[in-house]
Amino acid sequence: VAFTKQRSGSRWFVDTVVGRSGPHFGQRVNEIALGGLGKQRLDPTRDHEGCYGDKPSKRCSCALRQAYALRAHDRKHNPDHTQGFKWMLPSHVSDLTPVIASTCDLRLQWIIMLRRNILRRKISAAANKLTTSPHVSNETHAKELRENFKPTIKTENLYESISGEHHEMLSLIKNFKHLCKGDFHVDERVHYYEDLVDSNPASDEHWGKVLYQLGGWNTSNVTKIREWVGDWHAVNGTVIVHGRHPVKDVIANYKAVAKVLRGTEFEWMLH
């Protein structure tokens, strides 16, 4: 299970997981397919109401077991295939308490994938509202979106909004630590979009951990993985629109945004 947030590179992440865990890598590497899952997808299950609330629930564990079992036959008939799920995080992490507790109770393999630069996530969300193409598959289209759809970021309460989301991220991690109670090394399972993109020189090592923790590889040793598969940088069908470009080039009101964030602990997000 990958817990993530909208406009945090989640579609790119899912495509890359598939590309780096495919069957063409041989028997040592399971293919992982991450399908969407959320509380609304649990509603058909008998015990879904247990996943709503702010306390751990055995009923939620039953509901999750039923939901995850829907694809169990895939694993039975294809042992090299691992069915995974992408769980979009709610605005308030306390709403996810039963799900977190049940995920750990069932000993499921999970990670958290977030975007460290919250301003960039907001830019992506604002830009997405200006176009009917939430995901693009080629650089020409990406360039067209950057040039023609520069969003204006709301500056009123911008600092408070970023600060609130930052504290929500910290609360999420704290919640996992409390609810999983030593069964998992939580800090090792928290990953950031900025660490996984190819522009980060250490991205291979981060991906080694991600695929190992999700069950795609039987080791996190990237050196050994390279010996098995050679060049494992599979082509990703999702193009990053804004990530490699300066903030000042992708929004319409950079000066106003910079005025709000300069001199704060979030000033680094402008770069």
Side-chain angles (χ1 to χ4, degrees):
V1 186
F3 293 93
T4 186
K5 198 172 182 69
Q6 286 188 332
R7 313 314 300 179
S8 294
S10 58
R11 174 59 64 88
W12 169 86
F13 174 79
V14 167
D15 287 349
T16 307
V17 166
V18 172
R20 295 187 178 185
S21 65
H24 52 281
F25 287 155
Q27 294 297 317
R28 292 187 177 91
V29 183
N30 288 330
E31 178 182 4
I32 298 178
L34 293 175
L37 185 67
K39 287 184 179 179
Q40 70 278 10
R41 298 287 294 275
L42 296 180
D43 287 352
T45 64
R46 185 178 57 198
D47 296 293
H48 71 276
E49 291 181 357
C51 293
Y52 292 84
D54 58 0
K55 296 180 180 179
S57 166
K58 291 296 183 183
R59 290 185 66 193
C60 185
S61 295
C62 291
L64 285 180
R65 190 179 289 111
Q66 293 175 59
Y68 294 141
L70 294 177
R71 297 291 183 88
H73 66 280
D74 288 346
R75 187 68 184 269
K76 180 179 178 180
H77 297 294
N78 185 0
D80 294 327
H81 176 86
T82 298
Q83 178 62 45
F85 296 92
K86 177 180 70 172
W87 194 295
M88 287 299 186
L89 295 168
S91 300
H92 302 289
V93 297
S94 60
D95 295 343
L96 206 63
T97 294
V99 173
I100 294 173
S102 295
T103 296
C104 294
D105 181 55
L106 294 172
R107 307 294 297 174
L108 299 173
Q109 297 303 315
W110 58 268
I111 66 161
I112 301 170
M113 201 285 286
L114 302 170
R115 193 160 190 167
R116 189 179 284 114
N117 191 324
I118 298 169
L119 175 61
R120 290 272 189 178
R121 194 195 70 78
K122 289 183 176 295
I123 292 172
S124 179
N128 186 51
K129 294 179 180 179
L130 299 177
T131 174
T132 57
S133 303
H135 306 290
V136 299
S137 58
N138 62 74
E139 287 293 347
T140 300
H141 189 194
K143 182 180 180 181
E144 178 184 332
L145 291 179
R146 284 192 299 272
E147 293 177 348
N148 299 324
F149 298 95
K150 288 188 177 183
T152 297
I153 304 300
K154 294 182 180 179
T155 56
E156 184 179 0
N157 298 322
L158 176 61
Y159 171 83
E160 291 78 7
S161 177
I162 291 177
S163 180
E165 188 168 327
H166 174 70
H167 286 292
E168 280 287 313
M169 288 165 54
L170 296 179
S171 295
L172 173 71
I173 297 169
K174 183 178 180 180
N175 217 3
F176 266 94
K177 289 181 177 179
H178 171 68
L179 295 168
C180 296
K181 294 188 182 299
D183 290 337
F184 295 90
H185 295 291
V186 174
D187 287 332
E188 287 290 313
R189 290 179 175 268
V190 179
H191 301 278
Y192 293 94
Y193 166 86
E194 290 87 350
D195 296 330
L196 295 169
V197 292
D198 289 343
S199 58
N200 174 30
S203 65
D204 283 1
E205 283 65 32
H206 287 282
W207 273 110
K209 289 182 180 180
V210 166
L211 271 298
Y212 175 69
Q213 290 166 350
L214 289 178
W217 298 342
N218 61 12
T219 179
S220 62
N221 188 317
V222 176
T223 301
K224 289 185 178 180
I225 293 166
R226 289 197 186 104
E227 291 176 358
W228 300 338
V229 304
D231 182 11
W232 53 280
H233 289 82
V235 175
N236 191 313
T238 302
V239 175
I240 298 174
V241 178
H242 301 109
R244 293 185 295 271
H245 299 269
V247 171
K248 64 182 179 65
D249 293 342
V250 297
I251 61 176
N253 62 330
Y254 174 77
K255 289 183 178 179
V257 170
K259 184 178 180 180
V260 172
L261 296 182
R262 283 201 177 111
T264 74
E265 66 271 36
F266 304 122
E267 181 176 354
W268 65 270
M269 294 184 183
L270 294 167
H271 307 294

